[in-house]
Amino acid sequence: LCIIKLIKKNVLLRVIKTVVCIFLTMLLCYNGKEKFEIDILDVGQGDGTFIQYADGTAVFIDGGSTSKDKIGKYTIIPFLKSKGISEISYWFVSHADEDHINGLYELMEAGYKIDNLAVSQSAAKCDKKTAEITELARKLNINIIKLSEGDKIRITDEDRIECLYPYKNTVSDNRNDICLTLKVVSGSFSAIFAGDIPTETEQVILANSNIGKTNLFKVNHHGSKGSNSKEWLSTIKPDISVISCALKNNYGHPADEALLRLENCKTRIFYTMYSGQISIIKDDKENLIINKFLENESAAVR
């Protein structure tokens, strides 16, 4: 009996030592700082992107789908819970088409905490649906930010979100023509999110903005043939391009013409319809780690 007690005591001591060692290792490795991360969610036919800066600031761009029911309840909220995110500091709306905002509506109506809702100043003036969502936000005490070209939201000294388009006096009854176009910056890293802008709007931006090369490009209009022009791609020269769309959709997304232009500019192309959620994480050495939810492979891009 004494021998059995001694064995049990020794086993317990080893377990305690192991747990203590694991805890101390985690404590030593933890530097109190999150890594910059972008998650392009698999929302089917739509868009939804989560961004977390290293200081913990949580950002969302769009959030909707026309191929998945209750995308807010069954995809966006579970994702945010899995990340331990109970509050979004800035939620950007590129434009008010259903495949970009119906999930956001669900979160707002469910009382999810959103500090700031950012929309295009042009859309706020001339688009009824944008006016509706800003009015709902106002009733929920969410601060409204109306952006136009040149405006910047600073997160830290090295982190910011820049508005590249629309311009202050831009007016159109076509939502795609006045999509909020954003440049997300974290240190030396940059990413472009431009909603569903068409080729004509791409040309306007190129003619009036020093947009430059980017690391990550969330492909315009789900890979539409009427977007992602050769001139646009040859200017931004993206290392990584992500297409968000459903495997089966009525729009022909992504179009063969757009894919050919992307391939010709030597960018690495990822698809939510094949890989599910796609995560891009910036490590301490400024490398980008790409993880695909439906495939057990990752890649580093310097």
Side-chain angles (χ1 to χ4, degrees):
L1 186 61
C2 289
I3 293 174
I4 292 173
K5 287 183 178 180
L6 184 61
I7 291 172
K8 287 183 177 179
K9 184 178 180 180
N10 287 336
V11 170
L12 181 60
L13 285 173
R14 285 200 296 271
V15 170
I16 292 172
K17 286 180 180 179
T18 301
V19 171
V20 170
C21 285
I22 291 172
F23 174 76
L24 289 175
T25 301
M26 291 173 65
L27 194 62
L28 289 170
C29 291
Y30 177 66
N31 60 8
K33 186 178 180 182
E34 301 285 349
K35 293 186 185 299
F36 176 78
E37 178 175 342
I38 294 179
D39 297 284
I40 299 175
L41 276 60
D42 178 16
V43 295
Q45 189 61 28
D47 265 325
T49 299
F50 171 77
I51 301 168
Q52 186 168 41
Y53 280 90
D55 72 340
T57 300
V59 174
F60 222 97
I61 300 176
D62 289 339
S65 175
T66 52
S67 66
K68 292 187 176 183
D69 292 332
K70 296 185 177 179
I71 197 69
K73 180 178 181 180
Y74 295 124
T75 298
I76 298 175
I77 289 178
F79 166 81
L80 292 172
K81 285 183 177 179
S82 74
K83 303 286 287 184
I85 305 297
S86 59
E87 176 180 350
I88 296 293
S89 295
Y90 299 95
W91 199 303
F92 294 84
V93 174
S94 68
H95 64 303
D97 283 352
E98 285 298 302
D99 61 331
H100 291 255
I101 64 164
N102 57 15
L104 168 59
Y105 260 112
E106 291 178 46
L107 268 73
M108 292 169 68
E109 290 170 347
Y112 188 87
K113 185 167 176 53
I114 300 170
D115 298 326
N116 300 280
L117 182 71
V119 300
S120 154
Q121 185 182 69
S122 296
K125 288 190 297 185
C126 60
D127 180 59
K128 182 179 179 181
K129 194 70 176 179
T130 302
E132 287 177 5
I133 198 168
T134 55
E135 181 58 28
L136 175 59
R138 194 171 285 109
K139 289 178 180 177
L140 295 171
N141 295 316
I142 299 172
N143 183 50
I144 309 299
I145 301 174
K146 297 176 182 179
L147 297 172
S148 57
E149 185 270 336
D151 290 335
K152 295 181 177 67
I153 292 176
R154 294 203 172 272
I155 309 299
T156 70
D157 289 342
E158 293 189 340
D159 303 321
R160 64 189 181 277
I161 298 174
E162 304 175 6
C163 179
L164 303 177
Y165 183 85
Y167 307 110
K168 285 186 178 179
N169 298 321
T170 304
V171 177
S172 176
D173 57 3
N174 185 331
R175 289 179 188 143
N176 291 353
D177 293 340
I178 50 176
C179 273
L180 199 59
T181 299
L182 303 171
K183 184 174 185 178
V184 173
V185 178
S186 175
S188 62
F189 171 90
S190 68
I192 299 293
F193 296 85
D196 288 354
I197 62 169
T199 293
E200 293 77 12
T201 302
E202 292 174 353
Q203 305 307 315
V204 171
I205 296 171
L206 292 176
N208 294 280
S209 301
N210 184 22
I211 191 170
K213 175 178 169 43
T214 191
N215 300 104
L216 171 66
F217 172 44
K218 206 288 296 171
V219 174
N220 294 338
H221 205 170
H222 319 285
S224 166
K225 68 178 180 180
S227 300
N228 312 291
S229 63
K230 178 181 178 181
E231 294 79 11
W232 175 266
L233 294 172
S234 63
T235 299
I236 67 173
K237 297 182 175 67
D239 298 317
I240 305 160
S241 297
V242 179
I243 298 173
S244 178
C245 68
L247 185 59
K248 295 181 180 179
N249 64 79
N250 298 323
Y251 310 100
H253 297 156
D256 292 340
E257 298 91 331
L259 291 178
L260 181 59
R261 292 193 290 269
L262 284 162
E263 289 167 1
N264 286 340
C265 80
K266 309 301 182 185
T267 184
R268 296 186 62 200
I269 308 170
F270 296 86
Y271 309 80
T272 59
M273 63 181 181
Y274 297 134
S275 299
Q277 176 184 314
I278 296 167
S279 301
I280 299 97
I281 302 167
K282 187 175 71 168
D283 69 13
D284 296 334
K285 296 181 180 179
E286 298 287 309
N287 291 329
L288 301 180
I289 310 302
I290 307 162
N291 292 314
K292 297 174 283 184
F293 183 75
L294 297 180
E295 298 176 39
N296 295 320
E297 60 178 275
S298 62
V301 178
R302 189 174 296 277

